[in-house]
Structures are given as structure tokens and as C-alpha cells.
């Protein structure tokens, strides 16, 4: 069966995406809920994961984060991590209303920023029975300081404060590019591989992606600490998939977060850098996530 378009209510905001039925399912089946990372839309390779899961007998519910892509929400291009965490939980609730879904066998998959979200969701929501966190952001505080030179941080803080004052007086939120060809220019994700992947993927398969986010999206990132929830995921099985040479969400930060997790858990390194998980390294990342969900949701 082909995927179908879906939409659901998330506390007054309509979120939209796709539902992929499990292939060969004679009744209800396990279901994987997933959304994308920082500013990304569902067309940026989440379909690959959903197709892989469907072929293994798993339903997939894929949606665009609020304020992005086909989903509603204002202000556009704003990323509030806690709103996105709540939306994962709304998506789980919606999934349990579908006739194809076994409500007792729900998994969550997240990558990059949403790789952090699923750590939080799995710790808070016991409807989740398995979690895969791929190339995750685990500490906004520490990650920000790996991406931004220390002598630039005060300037960022001044921009945050100026934007807050402007909003108080009724002005629209300030905007900043997601990526820029110059890694020293102001952008939310100032690494060369970020610029290459976002621009190429936008051109090839995701025309709805926009190269901007609100400045306060970056401020909220610096305040977001999924690592604090990692010890509370157990007894839900956790698979973490860091990349071997991740310079966007650094490998060592992900490994440090993994070490805080309790059993059952598994760590598997993906080849290359952050964005290789979706493209050149998908033959590792896709099957790894699939096998984890099959092991823990179908037995």
C-alpha cells in the first residue's frame, strides 16, 4: 500500500505529513513516529526511513514540525524545542487512533535536533516502547559553544537581547539564515557540511525548505538540554547512532549522553559526518534503526 497524506490536531495547530502502512500486515502493526531536525522538512530523506520500516512490517507516521513545511503554526520558521517535544506526543496520540496501529507497540525515531527530542519523549512518555536517536543534539549549551567562537558569544547574546526588546515593542521576530557558505558569517548551523547538505537537498528533493529561522530559535537551542533526561529513558530500549566524525552535533557529546543512559541500550557508530546518515551512510543507519525496532516491537 502506498503512503497517504495525514493531518492531526496538536493543541489547535494542524500538523501534516504521511502515513506509511506496514507491508504485509494482516492486522494492527507496530508504528514508528518521526519528525525531522533543525529547520528540515519531511522530504529531506525521512521517506527513506519510513519505506525501510514499512518493508519490515512497521507502520510509520512522518510529519512536518509546526511552523515548517506543510504544517501550520506561527511564527513561520520558528523552532521551539519544547513545542516539538509536545508535538511528538500529539503525533503518538493521533497514531493510536488509526485502525492499522497497535497502540501498545509505538516507537519513536529522531535525527539531529529531533534526535534530542526523542530522548526527552522516551523519558517522559511510557507509551513509547523503543527509541532510536540518530546523530542527536544532546546539549544546547555545549553544542553552541562548539559551533560559535568564544569571542562571538557575547555578540550573539546582545542580538538575542535586542530581538527580545524589539518583540516587546511589537516588532516581528528577527531572522537568521540556517546556513551560509561562509562558516564565519551569521547562521544557525555554521559548518560547511551543513551548507552543502541543506542547499543540495533543497534543490534535489525539498523545495519547501527555507534558509531562515527566527533568531530566538537559536536562543532556545542554547537553552535545551536533552541529556538531562537520558537517565530516565530506561526501561525503554534505546539505540543511539552517532556519526564517527560529527562536527555539527559533536560525536563526543553524544557518547557522553549515551553513557548516562541505563540498560537496555546500544551504541552504534555511523560512518562519516553528521549528514552522511541520510545519504552515503543510509545503508548503515536505515537498517540499524529498522532492526532495533523489529527486535523490540515485533517479538
Amino acid at each position: 500500500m502506498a503512503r497517504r497524506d495525514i493531518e492531526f490536531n496538536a493543541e489547535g495547530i494542524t500538523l501534516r505529513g504521511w502515513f506509511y502502512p506496514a507491508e504485509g500486515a494482516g492486522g494492527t502493526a507496530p508504528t514508528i513516529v518521526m519528525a525531522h531536525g533543525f529547520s528540515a522538512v519531511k522530504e529531506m530523506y525521512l521517506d527513506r526511513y519510513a519505506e525501510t520500516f514499512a518493508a519490515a512490517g512497521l507502520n510509520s507516521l512522518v510529519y512536518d514540525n509546526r511552523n515548517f513545511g506543510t504544517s501550520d503554526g506561527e511564527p513561520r520558521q520558528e523552532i521551539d524545542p519544547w513545542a516539538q517535544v509536545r508535538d511528538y506526543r500529539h503525533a503518538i496520540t493521533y497514531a493510536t487512533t488509526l485502525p492499522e496501529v497497535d497502540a501498545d507497540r509505538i516507537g519513536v525515531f529522531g535525527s539531529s535536533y529531533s534526535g534530542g527530542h526523542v530522548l526527552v519523549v522516551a523519558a517522559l512518555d511510557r507509551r513509547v516502547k523503543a527509541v532510536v536517536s540518530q546523530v542527536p543534539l544532546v546539549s544546547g549549551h555545549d553544542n553552541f559553544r562548539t559551533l560559535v567562537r568564544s569571542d562571538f558569544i557575547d555578540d550573539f547574546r546582545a542580538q538575542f537581547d535586542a530581538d527580545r526588546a524589539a518583540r516587546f515593542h511589537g516588532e516581528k521576530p528577527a531572522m537568521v539564515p540556517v546556513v551560509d557558505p561562509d562558516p564565519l558569517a551569521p547562521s544557525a548551523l555554521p559548518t560547511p557540511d551543513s551548507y552543502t547538505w541543506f542547499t543540495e537537498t533543497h534543490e534535489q528533493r525539498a523545495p519547501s525548505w527555507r534558509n531562515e529561522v527566527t533568531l530566538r530559535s537559536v536562543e532556545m537551542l542554547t537553552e535545551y538540554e536533552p541529556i538531562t533526561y537520558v537517565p530516565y529513558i530506561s526501561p525503554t530500549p534505546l539505540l543511539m547512532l552517532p556519526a564517527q566524525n560529527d562536527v555539527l552535533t559533536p560525536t563526543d557529546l553524544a557518547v557522553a549522553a549515551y553513557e548516562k543512559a541505563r540498560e537496555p541500550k546500544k551504541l552504534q557508530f555511523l560512518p562519516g559526518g553528521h549528514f552522511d546518515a541520510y545519504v552515503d551512510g543510509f545503508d548503515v543507519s536505515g537498517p540499524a534503526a529498522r532492526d532495533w525496532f523489529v527486535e523490540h516491537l515485533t517479538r
Side-chain angles (χ1 to χ4, degrees), residues 41-43 64-65 67-72 76-77 208:
V41 293
K42 62 186 182 299
E43 290 83 3
D64 277 328
N65 288 304
N67 310 333
F68 289 86
T70 56
S71 289
D72 291 348
R76 300 304 291 175
Q77 305 301 115
S208 69

Side-chain angles (χ1 to χ4, degrees), residues 1 4 19-22 25 27-31 59 95 97-103:
M1 294 175 63
R4 66 176 185 264
F19 184 81
Y20 287 76
T28 60
T31 301
N59 300 316
T97 70
L98 300 176
E100 300 96 334
V101 172
D102 182 342

